[in-house]
Amino acid sequence: MPSPQEFVAALIAVVGGGNVLTGDAAAPYLTDWRRKRTGRAIAVARPANREEVAALVRLCAAHGVPIVAQGGNTGQVAGATPDTSGRALVLSLARLNRIRAIDADNDTITVEAGCVLQAVQEAARRHNRLFPLSLGAEGSCTIGGNLATNAGGTQVLRYGNARELTLGLEVVTAEGEIWHGLRGLRKDNAGYDLRDLYLGSEGTLGIITAATLRLYPMPQSQHTALVALASLEDATRLLARARSELGSTLTAFEVMARGCLEDVVAAFPQQRLPFERQDPAVQWYALLESSVTRACASSGDDFEAMLAGAWEAGAISDAVIAASAAQRRDFWALREHITLALAEQPYCIKHDISLPISAVADFVRRNGAQLAQAHPGLRMRVFGHLGDGNLHYNLLGPVGTSRAAWMAAEPGIQTKVHDEVVALGGSISAEQGIGGLRVAELRRYKPALELALMRRIKQALDPSGLLNPGKVLDASQPPD
C-alpha cells in the first residue's frame, strides 16, 4: 500500500490536481444530508468520464482502497458517506453530467450518472417528452444516485420506480472493467438481467456511470386537487374511487397528516392552505392529480365528477381544484416543503415504510396509539405516496424535548414501528434504501436465505469487498 501522499499523487495523475480534494475542500463530501454521520477519506476524486472512473477503480483495486461512489449526496440513509477509518476514496460522479443522446422516436434519453434529475427532466421537455421521475430533491439529486437507490417519488403510481424507467446501464465493475449495457430495448430476454442487479444496489456491486431511460409523451392536460379528509380511511376510499373512475390517467395520490401542513405554513409564511375555513374534524389532506397526453375537456369533467361523487358519498370534507398552472405549483409546493419544515425541528425520527394499501390506515391508527401511550405528547408527521403504499412515517418528540433525549428514544421506537410493518407484510425501506443507517434493521428482518443470496451476489461481483463497504450488508457477516 503506498503512503497517502503517494496515493493522492496517483489520483492526480488520473483526474488532474484540481479534481482531487483533501482537507477542508473534501469536507462537504464526508457528511450525509441529514448530518447523521460524518466520515473520513484519503481524498475525494472527481472523474470526468467513464474511462477515468474505471482507471480510479483499477487503482483502488490494486491497493485495496475502498470506494464510496457519490452523486448529489441527498440520500436519507447515509449511503454515500465513508466510514471513519480514513481508508476510503470518495468518488464523486458530479462531473459525469452530459446528456449523451435523445431518441424521440424510441422515447429514450441516455444520460451520465452525474446529471441532476431536473436537468434530465428539462432535456426531455425540450423534445416534448416527459421523464416522470419526480422527487423533492430533484434540483440537486443525480441520476446515478436515483438508480443506485431505485428511487420512487410522486409518480410511481402511474410510471413506476426508477427500475421501471431504466432500459440500459453503463457500469464500471469492481475490477475496473466497463460494462456497455446502454440498450434502448423494451424486450431483451438474452440471458440474466444484469441491469436489475445494479439498480437499487447502492453502489455495492458496481458504479453506474450512465443510463438509457424511458421517456413518455408530455401531458397536455393536468388536473390537480387538494382534498380535506377526516381520516386516513377516507383517503383510502377516495384512492379506490379515483382509480376506478380515472383509471390510468391517475398520476399521483399523496397523503399528508394535518400537522405536516401546519408545520409548513408555520415555517414558510408564504405557503397557504387554499380552503376558506379550517374544519377541526379534518385530520388529513390528499393531493391527487390526473393527466392525459392530449388536450381533452372531458378529462376535467371526469376529474370533477369523481370528486363530486366522493363529496356526495361523504368521503371528503372539502376540495379545491387547481384553477391554473400556478395554483397547481402552489399545491405541490405544500407537499414538497414538508421535509424542509421537519428539518426545522430539533430532531425527527424518520421511517420510510411500505405496506399493502389496505393495511395503511389501520397501521397508522394502531401504531400511533401505541407510540403515543409510550411517549405522551409525541407528534406524528406522516405523509407519503398512498397510491403505492409508501409512507414517510415521521415522529417528533413532545414539545420541549431535547434533540439528545429524542435521539435516545429512537431505537426503541424504530423497533416498534418496524416490527409491526413487517408483521403486516410490509418493508422497512420503500424507496430510500438501506445505506449505512439501516444495516442492522435489514439483518433483523430479512429472512436468512434472502440475506445469504444477497451475500453470494456481493461476493461474486465484488470479491474484495471494496465497493461501498458497510452499506446494505453487514461486512462482519461472511458469505454463506
Side-chain angles (χ1 to χ4, degrees):
M1 172 70 187
S3 69
Q5 294 79 9
E6 291 171 332
F7 188 74
V8 167
L11 296 174
I12 291 172
V14 176
V15 299
N19 292 303
V20 176
L21 310 178
T22 59
D24 291 345
Y29 299 83
L30 305 182
T31 298
D32 73 293
W33 185 83
R34 291 177 60 195
R35 301 191 180 281
K36 295 274 285 185
R37 289 192 177 180
T38 296
R40 296 170 56 234
I42 293 176
V44 176
R46 303 174 67 247
N49 52 56
R50 64 193 174 197
E51 289 79 16
E52 289 187 358
V53 173
L56 290 171
V57 172
R58 290 194 296 271
L59 178 65
C60 289
H63 297 292
V65 174
I67 304 168
V68 179
Q70 190 176 103
N73 199 21
T74 60
Q76 298 283 311
V77 292
T81 306
D83 62 22
T84 57
S85 70
R87 296 181 54 246
L89 173 71
V90 173
L91 197 156
S92 170
L93 299 168
R95 294 178 66 215
L96 276 75
N97 57 7
R98 292 185 304 129
I99 306 290
R100 291 192 187 171
I102 295 181
D103 186 341
D105 290 336
N106 195 43
D107 277 331
T108 56
I109 184 170
T110 299
V111 304
E112 292 182 336
C115 284
V116 171
L117 173 55
Q118 189 173 58
V120 177
Q121 296 167 341
E122 291 170 354
R125 193 175 297 117
R126 287 194 291 272
H127 287 74
N128 197 31
R129 295 293 188 273
L130 171 73
F131 181 61
L133 185 63
S134 182
L135 309 170
E138 62 194 28
S140 52
C141 66
T142 61
I143 286 294
N146 298 152
L147 303 187
T149 57
N150 188 29
T154 59
Q155 300 195 70
V156 170
L157 178 61
R158 180 165 178 178
Y159 297 104
N161 292 309
R163 186 182 305 277
E164 284 72 46
L165 299 173
T166 307
L167 295 175
L169 292 178
E170 177 184 272
V171 177
V172 173
T173 71
E175 292 77 23
E177 299 172 312
I178 301 173
W179 173 46
H180 299 278
L182 294 174
R183 306 182 187 101
L185 302 175
R186 271 73 175 175
K187 289 185 175 181
D188 183 0
N189 225 3
Y192 301 135
D193 194 339
L194 300 178
R195 173 199 61 184
D196 274 0
L197 281 176
Y198 293 110
L199 290 167
S201 67
E202 303 188 47
T204 64
L205 302 180
I207 299 172
I208 296 170
T209 53
T212 297
L213 307 169
R214 293 176 184 260
L215 299 179
Y216 292 84
M218 182 63 70
Q220 298 301 308
S221 181
Q222 291 177 302
H223 310 286
T224 309
L226 188 64
V227 179
L229 303 152
S231 68
L232 198 48
E233 286 85 355
D234 285 343
T236 304
R237 285 189 282 270
L238 178 61
L239 171 62
R241 178 183 289 269
R243 277 180 156 160
S244 176
E245 297 187 21
L246 301 178
S248 62
T249 68
L250 183 64
T251 308
F253 195 106
E254 302 286 299
V255 292
M256 301 156 284
R258 178 176 181 141
C260 292
L261 295 193
E262 288 176 342
D263 287 351
V264 167
V265 172
F268 304 98
Q270 72 273 23
Q271 303 292 333
R272 291 284 185 271
L273 290 174
F275 304 104
E276 292 183 1
R277 66 183 184 89
Q278 295 300 307
D279 185 344
V282 169
Q283 296 300 313
W284 291 86
Y285 296 93
L287 178 60
L288 59 156
E289 187 166 274
S290 72
S291 60
V292 294
T293 55
R294 59 187 178 86
C296 178
S298 64
S299 65
D301 294 340
D302 292 343
F303 190 74
E304 291 185 24
M306 184 276 295
L307 290 173
W311 171 270
E312 292 168 3
I316 63 178
S317 300
D318 203 349
V320 178
I321 298 175
S324 64
Q327 191 172 29
R328 173 183 177 270
R329 289 192 295 270
D330 289 343
F331 287 0
W332 278 105
L334 287 168
R335 162 65 178 83
E336 290 161 359
H337 277 72
I338 294 174
T339 299
L340 297 174
L342 289 173
E344 299 292 312
Q345 299 291 332
Y347 189 73
C348 178
I349 298 176
K350 293 175 174 283
H351 307 85
D352 168 45
I353 58 175
S354 64
L355 290 156
I357 294 170
S358 56
V360 166
D362 188 50
F363 164 80
V364 172
R365 183 178 60 256
R366 289 193 296 109
N367 187 257
Q370 292 166 6
L371 294 175
Q373 185 175 14
H375 303 275
L378 167 147
R379 294 167 292 160
M380 298 183 67
R381 297 295 187 260
V382 181
F383 68 100
H385 323 299
L386 184 63
D388 54 58
N390 175 197
L391 292 182
H392 300 304
Y393 196 72
N394 300 298
L395 305 167
L396 300 176
V399 174
T401 304
S402 69
R403 176 184 175 90
W406 199 231
M407 287 180 70
E410 184 167 11
I413 288 176
Q414 280 201 338
T415 297
K416 285 185 173 68
V417 172
H418 288 159
D419 279 355
E420 188 161 358
V421 166
V422 172
L424 291 170
S427 173
I428 65 169
S429 180
E431 63 177 1
Q432 294 173 359
I434 297 299
L437 298 184
R438 296 187 180 130
V439 175
E441 296 288 281
L442 186 74
R443 187 171 67 248
R444 174 182 170 89
Y445 295 108
K446 272 287 186 188
L449 179 57
E450 285 190 45
L451 286 172
L453 292 172
M454 290 169 64
R455 291 190 188 105
R456 291 177 204 172
I457 293 170
K458 172 71 170 174
Q459 175 67 19
L461 295 182
D462 181 23
S464 298
L466 296 180
L467 295 180
N468 215 5
K471 311 300 170 36
V472 183
L473 291 171
D474 186 351
S476 67
Q477 298 292 318
D480 295 66

